[in-house]
PDB file of all heavy atoms in Angstrom:
ATOM      1  N   ASP U 395     -14.094  -6.532  19.408  1.00 91.00           N
ATOM      2  CA  ASP U 395     -13.440  -7.575  20.173  1.00 91.00           C
ATOM      3  C   ASP U 395     -12.401  -6.859  21.046  1.00 91.00           C
ATOM      4  O   ASP U 395     -12.057  -5.719  20.781  1.00 91.00           O
ATOM      5  CB  ASP U 395     -12.770  -8.514  19.162  1.00 91.00           C
ATOM      6  CG  ASP U 395     -11.821  -9.477  19.810  1.00 91.00           C
ATOM      7  OD1 ASP U 395     -12.248 -10.166  20.746  1.00 91.00           O
ATOM      8  OD2 ASP U 395     -10.657  -9.562  19.363  1.00 91.00           O
ATOM      9  N   LYS U 396     -11.932  -7.507  22.098  1.00 89.00           N
ATOM     10  CA  LYS U 396     -10.989  -6.797  22.963  1.00 89.00           C
ATOM     11  C   LYS U 396      -9.534  -7.048  22.600  1.00 89.00           C
ATOM     12  O   LYS U 396      -8.857  -6.167  22.083  1.00 89.00           O
ATOM     13  CB  LYS U 396     -11.226  -7.157  24.434  1.00 89.00           C
ATOM     14  CG  LYS U 396     -10.297  -6.371  25.356  1.00 89.00           C
ATOM     15  CD  LYS U 396     -10.501  -6.716  26.807  1.00 89.00           C
ATOM     16  CE  LYS U 396     -10.046  -8.127  27.140  1.00 89.00           C
ATOM     17  NZ  LYS U 396      -8.613  -8.340  26.903  1.00 89.00           N
ATOM     18  N   THR U 397      -9.089  -8.288  22.882  1.00 84.00           N
ATOM     19  CA  THR U 397      -7.661  -8.553  22.772  1.00 84.00           C
ATOM     20  C   THR U 397      -7.189  -8.414  21.331  1.00 84.00           C
ATOM     21  O   THR U 397      -7.653  -9.123  20.448  1.00 84.00           O
ATOM     22  CB  THR U 397      -7.352  -9.964  23.307  1.00 84.00           C
ATOM     23  OG1 THR U 397      -8.042 -10.115  24.542  1.00 84.00           O
ATOM     24  CG2 THR U 397      -5.874 -10.156  23.508  1.00 84.00           C
ATOM     25  N   GLY U 398      -6.300  -7.495  21.094  1.00 81.00           N
ATOM     26  CA  GLY U 398      -5.771  -7.297  19.760  1.00 81.00           C
ATOM     27  C   GLY U 398      -6.609  -6.366  18.905  1.00 81.00           C
ATOM     28  O   GLY U 398      -6.215  -6.035  17.796  1.00 81.00           O
ATOM     29  N   THR U 399      -7.761  -5.963  19.410  1.00 88.00           N
ATOM     30  CA  THR U 399      -8.607  -5.070  18.620  1.00 88.00           C
ATOM     31  C   THR U 399      -8.702  -3.708  19.309  1.00 88.00           C
ATOM     32  O   THR U 399      -8.261  -2.698  18.772  1.00 88.00           O
ATOM     33  CB  THR U 399     -10.009  -5.681  18.434  1.00 88.00           C
ATOM     34  OG1 THR U 399      -9.869  -6.946  17.815  1.00 88.00           O
ATOM     35  CG2 THR U 399     -10.875  -4.785  17.569  1.00 88.00           C
ATOM     36  N   HIS U 434      -3.367 -17.402  18.345  1.00 80.00           N
ATOM     37  CA  HIS U 434      -3.966 -16.362  19.188  1.00 80.00           C
ATOM     38  C   HIS U 434      -3.005 -15.190  19.402  1.00 80.00           C
ATOM     39  O   HIS U 434      -1.786 -15.353  19.361  1.00 80.00           O
ATOM     40  CB  HIS U 434      -4.351 -16.967  20.540  1.00 80.00           C
ATOM     41  CG  HIS U 434      -5.272 -16.089  21.331  1.00 80.00           C
ATOM     42  ND1 HIS U 434      -4.809 -15.202  22.260  1.00 80.00           N
ATOM     43  CD2 HIS U 434      -6.613 -15.962  21.309  1.00 80.00           C
ATOM     44  CE1 HIS U 434      -5.847 -14.561  22.791  1.00 80.00           C
ATOM     45  NE2 HIS U 434      -6.944 -15.009  22.228  1.00 80.00           N
ATOM     46  N   LYS U 570     -20.586 -14.582  21.303  1.00 91.00           N
ATOM     47  CA  LYS U 570     -20.424 -13.306  20.605  1.00 91.00           C
ATOM     48  C   LYS U 570     -21.414 -13.248  19.438  1.00 91.00           C
ATOM     49  O   LYS U 570     -22.017 -12.217  19.165  1.00 91.00           O
ATOM     50  CB  LYS U 570     -18.994 -13.146  20.089  1.00 91.00           C
ATOM     51  CG  LYS U 570     -17.954 -12.955  21.179  1.00 91.00           C
ATOM     52  CD  LYS U 570     -16.593 -12.609  20.575  1.00 91.00           C
ATOM     53  CE  LYS U 570     -15.520 -12.490  21.640  1.00 91.00           C
ATOM     54  NZ  LYS U 570     -14.206 -12.136  21.098  1.00 91.00           N
ATOM     55  N   ASP U 589     -10.366 -10.002  15.272  1.00 75.00           N
ATOM     56  CA  ASP U 589      -9.268 -10.619  14.547  1.00 75.00           C
ATOM     57  C   ASP U 589      -9.818 -11.788  13.747  1.00 75.00           C
ATOM     58  O   ASP U 589     -10.791 -12.420  14.123  1.00 75.00           O
ATOM     59  CB  ASP U 589      -8.117 -11.014  15.486  1.00 75.00           C
ATOM     60  CG  ASP U 589      -8.537 -12.042  16.498  1.00 75.00           C
ATOM     61  OD1 ASP U 589      -8.783 -13.183  16.086  1.00 75.00           O
ATOM     62  OD2 ASP U 589      -8.620 -11.703  17.695  1.00 75.00           O
ATOM     63  N   ASN U 592      -9.840 -15.786  15.705  1.00 72.00           N
ATOM     64  CA  ASN U 592     -10.705 -16.179  16.802  1.00 72.00           C
ATOM     65  C   ASN U 592     -12.146 -15.760  16.618  1.00 72.00           C
ATOM     66  O   ASN U 592     -13.067 -16.380  17.123  1.00 72.00           O
ATOM     67  CB  ASN U 592     -10.190 -15.468  18.058  1.00 72.00           C
ATOM     68  CG  ASN U 592      -9.868 -16.440  19.121  1.00 72.00           C
ATOM     69  OD1 ASN U 592     -10.432 -17.525  19.120  1.00 72.00           O
ATOM     70  ND2 ASN U 592      -8.993 -16.071  20.010  1.00 72.00           N
ATOM     71  N   ASP U 593     -12.334 -14.656  15.917  1.00 80.00           N
ATOM     72  CA  ASP U 593     -13.659 -14.065  15.844  1.00 80.00           C
ATOM     73  C   ASP U 593     -14.356 -14.371  14.535  1.00 80.00           C
ATOM     74  O   ASP U 593     -15.327 -13.709  14.183  1.00 80.00           O
ATOM     75  CB  ASP U 593     -13.542 -12.547  16.031  1.00 80.00           C
ATOM     76  CG  ASP U 593     -13.019 -12.212  17.408  1.00 80.00           C
ATOM     77  OD1 ASP U 593     -13.512 -12.819  18.372  1.00 80.00           O
ATOM     78  OD2 ASP U 593     -12.112 -11.369  17.512  1.00 80.00           O
TER      79      ASP U 593
HETATM   80 MG1   MG B 870      -9.532 -11.513  20.118  1.00 96.49          MG
END
Side-chain angles (χ1 to χ4, degrees):
D395 168 53
K396 183 181 69 62
T397 314
T399 303
H434 195 266
K570 291 188 183 181
D589 63 69
N592 237 335
D593 296 315

